[in-house]
Amino acid sequence: MGRLASPPAGDHPDRFLRCQEALEDAFSSIGDAAAAAGWSEEEVAAALVELADNYMLALISNRSLRGKLALVSK
């Protein structure tokens, strides 16, 4: 996998789309590797969705924890 494209500066209206485009090749490579190992496309898609959901939940939880720790350390 090559270097990912950098995000557009500031509050670019297509920033989210550009992030998807930057990740697309790596994402496809993961799916292709899993399919080559014998996982069905549906299993791969479901696993990727679940991983993405868990990643988002962890980000939210960590952000909340950092906020609470900042309050306690004052």
Side-chain angles (χ1 to χ4, degrees):
M1 180 181 80
R3 186 170 180 264
L4 294 180
S6 298
D11 194 21
H12 192 279
D14 290 333
R15 189 174 172 91
F16 184 65
L17 176 60
R18 297 290 166 86
C19 183
Q20 291 178 52
E21 291 170 345
L23 296 174
E24 188 172 14
D25 286 343
F27 187 84
S28 293
S29 293
I30 292 168
D32 292 346
W39 299 100
S40 74
E41 291 178 332
E42 291 81 5
E43 289 170 317
V44 173
L48 289 170
V49 167
E50 189 74 17
L51 287 168
D53 188 48
N54 289 338
Y55 182 67
M56 180 60 82
L57 291 172
L59 290 174
I60 292 166
S61 179
N62 288 339
R63 180 174 293 150
S64 174
L65 180 59
R66 282 191 302 271
K68 291 174 183 174
L69 289 172
L71 289 174
V72 172
S73 66
K74 286 185 177 184

